[in-house]
Amino acid sequence: MDKGWCLTLENSDPVGFFTSKSDFGFDLSSRLYDKEGTATMFLTGREEQYASSPADERRVVLGEVDFFSDKNRPVKDMSVKKEDLHTARESDVNTGLQLVINTGSDQSTVDDGISSDVEDKRAKNELAKLKVELEGMNAENQRLRGMLSQVSSNYTALQMRLVGLMQQQKNSTAHDSTQEHEKQENGGATVPRQFLDLGLASEIDDPSNSSSEEKTTSGSPHKKIGRAESPESDSCGPNKIPKLNPSNPVDQSTEATMKKARVSVRARSEAPMISDGCQWRKYGQKMAKGNPCPRAYYRCTMAVGCPVRKQVQRCAEDRTILTTTYEGTHNHPLPPAAMALASTTSAAASMLLSGSMPSPDGLINPNFLARTLLPYSSNMATISASAPFPTVTLDLTHSPNPLQCQRVPPTQYQVPFLVHPQNFASVTNPQMPQVFGQALVNQSKFSGLQSSQNNIEQIQPPLHHQSFTNTLSAATAAITADPNFSAALAAAITSIMGGSRPDSGNATNNTTNVNTSTSNKSSSFMGN
DNA sequence: CGCTTTTGACCGGCGC
DNA sequence: GCGCCGGTCAAAAGCG
């Protein structure tokens, strides 16, 4: 085994050695050894036939020779050729194995002969290789199918659960007469309990009213949020949102919001930009306050006059996190890769718009809506009604942590303002205030960051279901776009599907000032 | 040469 | 009015 005879897998290091050699450099009774000296293959029988291959290599075909792998499995379709080096090659151990023996000398005088047989075997080998390749691809395909199936089944389960909870909510509403005190009439709709908790019921009930909390927050946001503390939130005061004149049609507000609505995507990426399938031209770069990383401004160049712009900035605390903020509507068709992200951001923007609509002044608690629409995915989406541009942030940087979901104390379900499953069901109740449905219809007019020719129609209730569906489908599509982004997005999806966790965050803040509590988080694209 | 990137200037909104 | 800040413009530089 130290005679310089070795067996190598194709394109790899030697994996075995011969103990001796005979006429053609090895003894057919020899054993093959791996590098550790462990016998891995046995050669038995004897050669009966010779054949020469094309001029540059000499091939010996061994007939009726049994080769056994270490599992005592016969290896068929063996052929052996002599070459100049002291190596042996084995390609495809599992199927049509070809053992290539190199004698290290040119003394071989093999007869010319059945070259067609050699060609056949070569073709067989080629076929075998292709088969292996195909099997590998099939395996990959199966794995991806499995993942998709898992996501799909999880979604179905969640949907079923939602239906059950809705039914439960409906029943409890019908039988609990005490809830009559909590009912607010709005076109015959039932105002969910959390609306009252959030002080929003009055807004829904009476457009002329706004909650005292909202007034306080809107009136002097900067007294609570210092500039240096949160640069983005500096301009994020809810009072800066284009307010809807109560006398104006709702659509006008929507149009105004559409123009300035932004979607921010946070994802881990070492690249300067996440690949979103579009072509961009950089037109500016600025140092943003509170962040040593410069903010780059890009304009879509896929079509002349496309108004879509995006800002790219690294997170100050974690520079592996890249925040990309999109604004505007593409005026051209998008390639599939771009559609993926565009759909994601569009769905997110739709959530944002739906969240900006219910209040007569165009305001509704953004945090509340984020939790309403994606109650189990607070890690993923944050909606900010921050001015000057309402922004929804898709945070794709969090890893799923199923255990965390189970650790949440049950008591947290009792915390007011949290949208626990029951409330979640209630806000998605078909009887929910019409304004939600209106928002949903309106949002279909918002092409967001998606091609105007490829808008996702989101006019079918229930609201959360549709947005969630779009987000899910878009996210699934986005997986194909970019490896880094895909990984982050996949993690985000998993956090949705696997995390049947009612949001436990910001409970305290929510009781006082949700906008404040979300300001830092929602300002993700600016200097956090 | 044409396109993209860089970078300082400029503009508008906002708070003081 | 002034300064700050975010955002954009446009000339210069870089690049293939």
Coordinates of all heavy atoms in Angstrom, one line a residue, chain A residues 56-105:
Chain A
D56 N -4.3 9.3 -25.9 CA -3.8 9.9 -24.7 C -4.0 9.1 -23.4 O -3.5 9.4 -22.4 CB -4.3 11.3 -24.5 CG -5.8 11.2 -24.4 OD1 -6.4 10.2 -24.8 OD2 -6.4 12.2 -23.9
E57 N -4.7 8.1 -23.5 CA -4.9 7.3 -22.3 C -5.1 5.8 -22.7 O -5.7 5.5 -23.7 CB -6.1 7.8 -21.5 CG -7.4 7.7 -22.2 CD -8.6 8.2 -21.3 OE1 -8.3 8.8 -20.3 OE2 -9.7 8.0 -21.7
R58 N -4.7 5.0 -21.9 CA -4.8 3.6 -22.2 C -5.7 3.0 -21.1 O -5.6 3.2 -19.9 CB -3.4 2.9 -22.1 CG -2.5 3.6 -23.1 CD -1.1 2.9 -23.1 NE -0.3 3.5 -24.1 CZ 0.7 2.9 -24.7 NH1 0.9 1.6 -24.5 NH2 1.4 3.5 -25.6
R59 N -6.6 2.2 -21.7 CA -7.7 1.8 -20.8 C -7.7 0.2 -20.8 O -7.5 -0.4 -21.8 CB -9.0 2.3 -21.3 CG -10.2 1.9 -20.5 CD -11.4 2.5 -21.1 NE -11.4 4.0 -21.0 CZ -11.9 4.7 -20.0 NH1 -12.5 4.0 -19.0 NH2 -11.8 6.0 -20.0
V60 N -7.9 -0.2 -19.7 CA -8.1 -1.7 -19.5 C -9.4 -2.0 -19.0 O -9.8 -1.4 -18.0 CB -7.0 -2.2 -18.6 CG1 -7.2 -3.7 -18.4 CG2 -5.6 -1.9 -19.1
V61 N -10.1 -2.8 -19.7 CA -11.4 -3.1 -19.3 C -11.4 -4.5 -18.6 O -10.9 -5.5 -19.2 CB -12.5 -3.2 -20.4 CG1 -13.8 -3.7 -19.9 CG2 -12.6 -1.8 -21.1
L62 N -11.8 -4.5 -17.4 CA -11.8 -5.8 -16.7 C -13.1 -6.4 -16.7 O -14.1 -5.8 -16.3 CB -11.3 -5.5 -15.2 CG -10.0 -4.8 -15.1 CD1 -9.8 -4.6 -13.6 CD2 -8.9 -5.5 -15.7
G63 N -13.2 -7.6 -17.2 CA -14.4 -8.3 -17.2 C -14.5 -9.3 -16.1 O -13.5 -9.8 -15.6
E64 N -15.7 -9.5 -15.7 CA -16.0 -10.4 -14.7 C -15.2 -10.2 -13.4 O -14.7 -11.1 -12.8 CB -15.9 -11.9 -15.2 CG -16.8 -12.2 -16.3 CD -16.7 -13.6 -16.7 OE1 -15.9 -14.4 -16.1 OE2 -17.4 -14.0 -17.7
V65 N -15.0 -9.0 -13.2 CA -14.3 -8.7 -11.9 C -15.3 -8.1 -10.9 O -16.1 -7.2 -11.3 CB -13.2 -7.7 -12.2 CG1 -12.5 -7.3 -10.9 CG2 -12.2 -8.3 -13.2
D66 N -15.3 -8.7 -9.8 CA -16.2 -8.2 -8.8 C -15.5 -7.1 -7.9 O -14.4 -7.4 -7.3 CB -16.7 -9.3 -7.9 CG -17.5 -10.2 -8.7 OD1 -18.3 -9.8 -9.6 OD2 -17.4 -11.4 -8.5
F67 N -16.0 -6.0 -7.9 CA -15.5 -5.0 -7.0 C -16.6 -4.8 -5.9 O -17.8 -4.6 -6.2 CB -15.3 -3.7 -7.7 CG -14.2 -3.8 -8.7 CD1 -14.3 -4.3 -9.9 CD2 -12.9 -3.3 -8.4 CE1 -13.3 -4.4 -10.8 CE2 -11.9 -3.4 -9.2 CZ -12.1 -3.9 -10.5
F68 N -16.1 -4.7 -4.7 CA -17.0 -4.5 -3.6 C -16.6 -3.3 -2.8 O -15.5 -3.0 -2.6 CB -17.0 -5.7 -2.7 CG -17.6 -7.0 -3.3 CD1 -16.8 -7.8 -4.0 CD2 -18.9 -7.2 -3.1 CE1 -17.4 -9.0 -4.6 CE2 -19.5 -8.4 -3.7 CZ -18.7 -9.2 -4.4
S69 N -17.6 -2.6 -2.5 CA -17.3 -1.5 -1.7 C -17.2 -1.9 -0.3 O -17.3 -3.1 0.0 CB -18.5 -0.5 -1.8 OG -19.6 -1.0 -1.2
D70 N -17.0 -1.0 0.6 CA -16.8 -1.3 2.0 C -18.1 -1.9 2.6 O -18.1 -2.6 3.6 CB -16.4 -0.1 2.8 CG -17.4 1.0 2.6 OD1 -18.1 1.0 1.6 OD2 -17.4 1.9 3.5
K71 N -19.2 -1.7 1.9 CA -20.4 -2.3 2.4 C -20.7 -3.6 1.7 O -21.8 -4.1 1.7 CB -21.6 -1.3 2.2 CG -21.4 -0.1 3.1 CD -22.5 0.9 2.8 CE -22.3 2.1 3.7 NZ -23.3 3.2 3.4
N72 N -19.7 -4.1 1.1 CA -19.8 -5.4 0.4 C -20.8 -5.4 -0.7 O -21.4 -6.3 -1.1 CB -20.2 -6.5 1.4 CG -19.4 -7.8 1.2 OD1 -18.4 -7.7 0.6 ND2 -20.0 -8.9 1.6
R73 N -20.9 -4.2 -1.3 CA -21.8 -4.0 -2.4 C -21.1 -4.1 -3.7 O -20.1 -3.4 -3.9 CB -22.5 -2.7 -2.3 CG -23.6 -2.4 -3.3 CD -24.3 -1.1 -3.1 NE -23.3 0.0 -2.8 CZ -23.7 1.1 -2.3 NH1 -24.9 1.3 -1.8 NH2 -22.8 2.1 -2.1
P74 N -21.5 -5.0 -4.6 CA -20.8 -5.1 -5.9 C -20.8 -3.8 -6.6 O -21.8 -3.1 -6.6 CB -21.6 -6.2 -6.6 CG -22.4 -6.8 -5.6 CD -22.7 -5.8 -4.5
V75 N -19.7 -3.5 -7.2 CA -19.7 -2.3 -8.0 C -19.6 -2.7 -9.5 O -18.7 -3.5 -9.9 CB -18.5 -1.4 -7.6 CG1 -18.4 -0.2 -8.5 CG2 -18.5 -1.1 -6.2
K76 N -20.5 -2.2 -10.3 CA -20.5 -2.7 -11.7 C -19.9 -1.6 -12.6 O -19.5 -0.5 -12.2 CB -22.0 -3.0 -12.0 CG -22.6 -4.0 -11.1 CD -24.0 -4.4 -11.7 CE -24.6 -5.4 -10.7 NZ -23.8 -6.7 -10.6
D77 N -19.8 -2.1 -13.8 CA -19.4 -1.2 -14.9 C -18.0 -0.6 -14.6 O -17.7 0.6 -14.7 CB -20.4 0.0 -15.1 CG -21.7 -0.5 -15.6 OD1 -21.7 -1.5 -16.4 OD2 -22.7 0.0 -15.2
M78 N -17.1 -1.6 -14.3 CA -15.8 -1.1 -14.0 C -15.0 -1.0 -15.2 O -15.1 -1.8 -16.1 CB -15.1 -2.1 -13.0 CG -15.8 -2.3 -11.7 SD -15.6 -0.8 -10.7 CE -13.8 -0.8 -10.5
S79 N -14.1 0.0 -15.3 CA -13.1 0.0 -16.3 C -11.9 0.6 -15.7 O -11.9 1.4 -14.7 CB -13.6 0.9 -17.5 OG -13.7 2.2 -17.0
V80 N -10.8 0.2 -16.2 CA -9.5 0.6 -15.6 C -8.6 1.1 -16.7 O -8.6 0.5 -17.8 CB -8.8 -0.5 -14.9 CG1 -7.5 -0.1 -14.3 CG2 -9.7 -1.0 -13.8
K81 N -8.0 2.2 -16.5 CA -7.1 2.7 -17.6 C -5.8 3.1 -16.9 O -5.7 3.4 -15.8 CB -7.7 3.9 -18.2 CG -7.9 5.1 -17.4 CD -8.5 6.3 -18.1 CE -8.7 7.5 -17.2 NZ -9.4 8.6 -18.0
K82 N -4.8 3.0 -17.7 CA -3.5 3.3 -17.2 C -3.1 4.7 -17.7 O -3.2 5.0 -18.8 CB -2.5 2.2 -17.8 CG -2.7 0.8 -17.2 CD -1.5 0.0 -17.7 CE -1.7 -1.4 -17.1 NZ -0.6 -2.3 -17.5
E83 N -2.5 5.4 -16.8 CA -2.0 6.7 -17.1 C -0.6 6.8 -16.6 O 0.0 5.9 -16.1 CB -2.9 7.8 -16.6 CG -4.3 7.7 -17.3 CD -5.2 8.8 -16.8 OE1 -4.9 9.4 -15.8 OE2 -6.3 8.9 -17.4
D84 N -0.2 8.0 -16.7 CA 1.2 8.2 -16.3 C 1.5 8.5 -14.8 O 2.6 8.4 -14.4 CB 1.8 9.4 -17.1 CG 1.8 9.1 -18.6 OD1 1.9 7.9 -18.9 OD2 1.8 10.0 -19.4
L85 N 0.5 8.7 -14.1 CA 0.7 9.1 -12.8 C 0.3 8.0 -11.8 O -0.4 7.1 -12.2 CB -0.1 10.4 -12.4 CG 0.2 11.6 -13.3 CD1 -0.7 12.7 -13.0 CD2 1.7 12.0 -13.1
H86 N 0.8 8.1 -10.6 CA 0.6 7.1 -9.6 C -0.7 7.4 -8.9 O -0.8 7.6 -7.7 CB 1.7 7.1 -8.6 CG 2.9 6.5 -9.2 ND1 3.2 5.2 -9.3 CD2 4.0 7.1 -9.7 CE1 4.3 5.0 -9.9 NE2 4.9 6.1 -10.1
T87 N -1.8 7.5 -9.7 CA -3.0 7.8 -9.0 C -4.1 6.9 -9.6 O -3.9 6.4 -10.7 CB -3.5 9.3 -9.2 OG1 -3.6 9.5 -10.6 CG2 -2.5 10.2 -8.6
A88 N -5.1 6.7 -8.9 CA -6.2 6.0 -9.4 C -7.4 6.9 -9.2 O -7.5 7.6 -8.2 CB -6.4 4.7 -8.7
R89 N -8.4 6.8 -10.1 CA -9.5 7.7 -9.9 C -10.8 6.8 -9.8 O -10.9 5.8 -10.5 CB -9.6 8.6 -11.2 CG -8.6 9.7 -11.1 CD -8.9 10.6 -12.3 NE -8.3 11.9 -12.1 CZ -8.5 12.9 -12.9 NH1 -9.3 12.8 -13.9 NH2 -7.9 14.0 -12.7
E90 N -11.6 7.3 -9.0 CA -12.9 6.6 -8.9 C -14.0 7.7 -9.0 O -14.0 8.7 -8.3 CB -13.0 5.9 -7.6 CG -14.4 5.4 -7.3 CD -14.6 5.0 -5.9 OE1 -14.1 4.0 -5.5 OE2 -15.2 5.8 -5.1
S91 N -14.8 7.5 -10.0 CA -15.9 8.5 -10.1 C -17.2 7.8 -9.9 O -17.5 6.7 -10.4 CB -15.9 9.1 -11.5 OG -16.2 8.1 -12.5
D92 N -17.9 8.4 -9.1 CA -19.3 7.9 -8.7 C -19.2 6.5 -8.1 O -19.4 5.5 -8.7 CB -20.2 7.9 -10.0 CG -21.6 7.5 -9.6 OD1 -21.9 7.5 -8.4 OD2 -22.4 7.4 -10.5
V93 N -19.0 6.5 -6.8 CA -18.9 5.3 -6.1 C -20.2 4.5 -6.1 O -20.3 3.3 -6.1 CB -18.5 5.6 -4.7 CG1 -18.4 4.3 -3.8 CG2 -17.1 6.3 -4.7
N94 N -21.3 5.2 -6.1 CA -22.6 4.6 -5.9 C -23.2 4.0 -7.1 O -24.0 3.0 -7.0 CB -23.5 5.6 -5.2 CG -23.1 6.0 -3.9 OD1 -22.5 5.2 -3.1 ND2 -23.2 7.3 -3.6
T95 N -22.9 4.5 -8.2 CA -23.5 4.0 -9.4 C -22.5 3.3 -10.3 O -21.8 2.4 -9.9 CB -24.3 5.0 -10.2 OG1 -23.5 6.1 -10.5 CG2 -25.4 5.5 -9.3
G96 N -22.4 3.8 -11.5 CA -21.5 3.2 -12.5 C -20.1 3.7 -12.1 O -19.6 4.7 -12.6
L97 N -19.4 2.9 -11.3 CA -18.1 3.3 -10.9 C -17.1 3.1 -11.9 O -17.0 2.1 -12.6 CB -17.8 2.6 -9.6 CG -16.4 2.9 -9.0 CD1 -16.6 3.1 -7.5 CD2 -15.4 1.8 -9.3
Q98 N -16.2 4.1 -12.1 CA -15.1 4.0 -13.0 C -13.8 4.1 -12.2 O -13.6 5.1 -11.6 CB -15.1 5.0 -14.1 CG -14.0 4.9 -15.0 CD -14.0 5.9 -16.1 OE1 -14.7 6.9 -16.0 NE2 -13.3 5.7 -17.2
L99 N -13.1 3.1 -12.2 CA -11.8 3.1 -11.4 C -10.7 3.4 -12.4 O -10.5 2.6 -13.4 CB -11.6 1.8 -10.7 CG -10.4 1.7 -9.8 CD1 -10.5 2.6 -8.7 CD2 -10.3 0.2 -9.3
V100 N -10.0 4.4 -12.2 CA -8.9 4.7 -13.1 C -7.6 4.5 -12.4 O -7.3 5.1 -11.3 CB -9.0 6.2 -13.5 CG1 -7.9 6.6 -14.4 CG2 -10.3 6.5 -14.2
I101 N -6.8 3.6 -12.9 CA -5.6 3.2 -12.3 C -4.4 3.8 -13.1 O -4.4 3.7 -14.3 CB -5.4 1.7 -12.3 CG1 -6.6 1.0 -11.6 CG2 -4.1 1.3 -11.6 CD1 -6.7 1.4 -10.1
N102 N -3.5 4.5 -12.4 CA -2.4 5.0 -13.0 C -1.2 4.2 -12.6 O -0.9 4.0 -11.5 CB -2.2 6.5 -12.6 CG -3.4 7.3 -13.0 OD1 -3.9 7.3 -14.1 ND2 -4.0 8.0 -11.9
T103 N -0.5 3.8 -13.6 CA 0.7 2.9 -13.3 C 1.9 3.6 -13.0 O 2.9 3.1 -12.5 CB 0.9 2.0 -14.5 OG1 1.3 2.8 -15.6 CG2 -0.3 1.2 -14.9
G104 N 2.0 4.8 -13.5 CA 3.2 5.6 -13.3 C 4.3 5.2 -14.3 O 5.4 5.7 -14.2
S105 N 4.0 4.5 -15.3 CA 4.9 4.2 -16.4 C 4.2 4.1 -17.7 O 3.0 4.0 -17.7 CB 5.6 2.9 -16.0 OG 4.7 1.8 -16.2

